[in-house]
Amino acid sequence: MKKFINTDKIYPAIGIFGILIIWQALVVIRQTPMYILPSPIDIGLALVKDWDLIYYHLIVTVYESLAGFAISIILAFLISIFMDSFNFIKKLLYPILVISQTIPIIALAPLFIIWFGFGMMPKIVTVVIVCFFPIAINLVDGMDSIDDDYLKLFKSMKASKIQTLYHLKLPFSMVYFFSGLKIGATYMIMSAVIGEWLGGDRGIGVYMLRAKNAYALDRVFASIVVIVGLSILLITLIELMSKKILVWQNERDEE
Amino acid sequence: MPTQTNSSTNKPEEVIVLNNVKKTFGPMTVFEDISLHVNKNEVVSVLGSSGSGKSTLFNIIAGLYGVDEGIVKVKGSIGYMQQKDLLLPWKTVYDNIALPLKIKKVAKEDINMKIQKYLPVVGLQGYENKYPYQLSGGMRQRASFMRTLMTAEDIMLFDEAFGSLDSVTRGQMQKWLLEMKDILGNTVLFITHDIDEAIYLSDRIYVLSKIPAKIQKEIVVDFHKDDKDKRLLSHKLLELKSEILKLL
């Protein structure tokens, strides 16, 4: 068993490390200039050298993302409970939710700046627009997929709507909620960055834009590394949380 | 139509009565005219092959479906148990059992007292903090049984409740169920397709025909009433079985 766990971690590590070595070698051999493609080592150096500035910008991005994410979760719960309680509302809102997702966010984000100014607000709104959907849809689908026999059981116990929600629907849809949360988390930093690109004075997106305009590609890549790292960290955190909360689900699957 | 039993001095109290019940789903008629009754403290089975609308009948008695015509009378609280144990996998056995009481807003201490009283009776002592996935099928059915008991103490409805258990466990659970019934003194209505199970457990059996279903026959199982275990080895069981097979 141990052996398998080791190879599980070794192979991805070899893959990532291999790509970095090939990248470094190509840049060195072909003597690619920094403003075309910096080498991994250049990127690492830029990250270390510029860390204070990156950190200064990053804090704002993290704040916007987490605020947007929290709002998304609250909104998703409210809307999905509302949709589950009234069938006509579900029929009313479901297609609108799906359609709203097909609108390119890059076209909407400039409008948010017109509406909400250059502060954090338009970025938070962008994050909410992107993250709300996967969480809400997963919750709605989760509540929808409850076995009818369970609902009958609760009916026979004469449970009220709120009791059924609390004891059955919400716990049951936690599995779906967490898979929505993971999808949301992958996009959340990225959507805040998109919001920052279009205007603002602080945030990792602003930093990235300025670095790009200065052809400091090593710094552009350094900020990419930071965004990727942060996103992975968040996904891992959610994964750990879901494992802890959904113990019963995992144990049952292993049976 | 066997709606009236002996109308002598101590007429048994009828806790479930169905009179001329008709039920349709759109163009499909499930029951044309069903009449049956269950007396207090009786064990009654409704026996039918699959597709005889057994579960519909069950849902009607449980109060989950309405009827098109006829009268349904249920006296007392009614709880039901299905083939699927329907335990909530994220709750411990204790919390699963406590659920119907919690829903009725019974005080915490009273819930605890009641559960502690019945846990040893149903044989779940020591299992209360386990999760359903940690239990065997038979133990899960016991937990489900106890939850049903907490929902309602008067009447228990079983819809092929032991259908998913292996035959050894099923036999044990049937025997256990009769013991429970003796201790609790409640009324039991069994809906099943298993002829042996019906004969073994019941005081009376209603045999249901195929859709549109009607009561083919009411059979009073009057041998070995005091020691139902003996029924399994009795030749009368075989006679009754062949009679029922002809009806189905």
Side-chain angles (χ1 to χ4, degrees), chain B residues 3-17 37-42 44 75 187 203-204 218 225:
Chain B
T3 38
Q4 293 294 317
T5 38
N6 50 332
S7 53
S8 56
T9 41
N10 49 357
K11 184 175 178 285
E13 190 189 348
E14 293 177 342
V15 287
I16 300 176
V17 181
H37 68 102
V38 180
N39 296 331
K40 202 174 178 179
N41 292 331
E42 243 187 337
V44 174
K75 221 163 154 191
T187 310
D203 301 318
R204 279 185 303 124
E218 179 194 3
K225 275 201 111 157

Side-chain angles (χ1 to χ4, degrees), chain B residues 86-120:
Chain B
L86 295 180
L87 295 171
L88 303 176
W90 54 85
K91 285 184 191 280
T92 59
V93 168
Y94 183 94
D95 287 333
N96 263 296
I97 296 169
L99 186 61
L101 299 172
K102 245 187 212 160
I103 283 172
K104 277 188 242 168
K105 299 207 172 74
V106 177
K108 239 187 179 153
E109 306 83 63
D110 295 339
I111 293 180
N112 193 33
M113 242 163 58
K114 204 167 174 188
I115 288 181
Q116 295 307 338
K117 182 179 144 202
Y118 281 113
L119 269 178

Side-chain angles (χ1 to χ4, degrees), chain B residues 47-64:
Chain B
L47 188 63
S49 53
S50 34
S52 57
K54 290 195 300 283
S55 288
T56 308
L57 186 65
F58 173 90
N59 281 318
I60 287 173
I61 298 171
L64 299 169

Side-chain angles (χ1 to χ4, degrees), chain A residues 150 153, chain B residues 81-88 132 137 140-141 144 147 164:
Chain A
Y150 276 107
L153 177 79
Chain B
M81 203 173 138
Q82 288 194 358
Q83 183 171 347
K84 287 181 258 179
D85 56 62
L86 295 180
L87 295 171
L88 303 176
R140 279 204 286 261
Q141 284 297 9
S144 177
R147 183 179 58 190
S164 60

